[in-house]
Amino acid sequence: MSSDVNIPRATGRSLLRQWESASVDSVWLRPGDWYTPAAEALVEALDARLDTAPAAYRLGQARAQAGVGITEAIDDMAVLFRSAGYESAPIRSIRSLCEGWTDGDSATQVATQMHDPESGLGTADYLIQRLAEVYGAAERHGLRVPDTHALVMVDVSVEDSDPWQRMARNAAVGQALTGAYGTGYPMARLSDGLYAVLVERGAGLGMGIAELRDHIGDKAVQMRVANLVRQPPRVWIESLPATHRYAHDLVESLQR
């Protein structure tokens, strides 16, 4: 890093908070998924006047594995260097971020994870796989999935920056959904605070939505995380498209 760059205006934890706040206000799409330990490592490297390229590489990997687009990742890192008093991010660090993002994206495609440890539910990839099974069965029996199934969506997301609060929220909602539906219902966390349940259509589906909303609210109070979830939780029925290909696109669009 060249020595003619301005002295950073903030350091350490204050710089991390300043970076997050500025990024969420300007370039970041979903506040709940901004924090990663890789972001903290990059701030530490910048604060210590070390080469930021290795930390930028790890941040790129983390962003790709979280489903963040490359443009959003680059814009976000640029916000950090501006927040620290630099005119722009070093080209070498930007290149490392892109290389990490590419490697992380490839690793995500090769090693698909099906279980979300924070909520105890499935991941988006798990839901897509279960949807493939539903569409395959419907085709064999001459049925249309839009007529037989739907997704129940639950959004409890709020703006906060504490990763521990995020984990507590995801754990509470995971327990609430498992308690409400029991076994046999494919459920997944699509992003922080956003969840999906694959259900069969029926006469009681609409009435069940209101009950689910109350159940999640009660569980949040019971686990002392009511202040960490949207009040009231947003719950709605998402119709499924005619083919699994479009269902795949739907799940991806819901993630961010």
Side-chain angles (χ1 to χ4, degrees):
M1 193 177 298
S2 62
S3 58
D4 59 348
V5 183
N6 293 333
I7 298 297
R9 299 170 185 166
T11 58
R13 298 293 300 179
S14 63
L15 177 56
L16 183 68
R17 292 192 294 269
Q18 186 176 330
W19 173 20
E20 179 179 10
S21 177
S23 183
V24 168
D25 287 344
S26 58
V27 302
W28 202 254
L29 298 180
R30 283 187 61 87
D33 65 3
W34 183 89
Y35 176 81
T36 168
E40 197 159 356
L42 180 55
V43 168
E44 290 174 356
L46 184 59
D47 187 30
R49 302 298 185 88
L50 301 174
D51 181 7
T52 54
Y57 178 88
R58 293 194 295 274
L59 180 63
Q61 285 183 311
R63 293 309 192 203
Q65 290 166 4
V68 176
I70 185 62
T71 300
E72 188 178 1
I74 293 172
D75 290 345
D76 170 62
M77 193 174 76
V79 170
L80 165 63
F81 282 86
R82 288 198 300 270
S83 298
Y86 298 95
E87 280 190 24
S88 61
I91 295 298
R92 183 166 180 267
S93 293
I94 295 175
R95 184 181 298 114
S96 292
L97 177 83
C98 295
E99 290 174 353
W101 188 92
T102 301
D103 290 347
D105 188 52
S106 299
T108 300
Q109 293 175 18
V110 172
T112 300
Q113 296 183 355
M114 296 292 181
H115 177 75
D116 173 55
E118 292 188 12
S119 65
L121 306 177
T123 62
D125 292 310
Y126 164 78
L127 180 61
I128 290 170
Q129 179 60 42
R130 295 303 303 270
L131 281 167
E133 298 169 4
V134 168
Y135 278 88
E139 183 176 358
R140 290 192 299 272
H141 293 89
L143 301 173
R144 295 183 68 257
V145 172
D147 298 333
T148 60
H149 290 76
L151 293 178
V152 173
M153 303 299 304
V154 176
D155 184 357
V156 300
S157 59
V158 294
E159 292 188 10
D160 63 57
S161 58
D162 189 331
W164 301 110
Q165 291 182 347
R166 181 201 70 209
M167 287 187 282
R169 174 169 58 246
N170 287 324
V173 178
Q175 287 190 23
L177 291 175
T178 302
Y181 286 97
T183 60
Y185 286 86
M187 294 176 274
R189 178 168 80 95
L190 300 187
S191 59
D192 182 51
L194 182 65
Y195 315 83
V197 184
L198 179 60
V199 299
E200 293 184 7
R201 286 190 175 275
L205 181 57
M207 184 179 300
I209 294 300
E211 295 176 356
L212 178 61
R213 183 184 299 112
D214 293 341
H215 178 72
I216 293 171
D218 292 343
K219 191 67 175 180
V221 171
Q222 179 184 340
M223 296 186 67
R224 299 182 180 179
V225 295
N227 62 314
L228 306 182
V229 303
R230 178 197 296 264
Q231 296 293 346
R234 183 178 172 223
V235 183
W236 74 96
I237 300 170
E238 187 77 33
S239 296
L240 287 168
T243 67
H244 180 252
R245 174 185 174 184
Y246 289 122
H248 187 291
D249 293 342
L250 172 64
V251 173
E252 288 194 341
S253 70
L254 290 169
Q255 285 183 267
R256 294 197 58 76

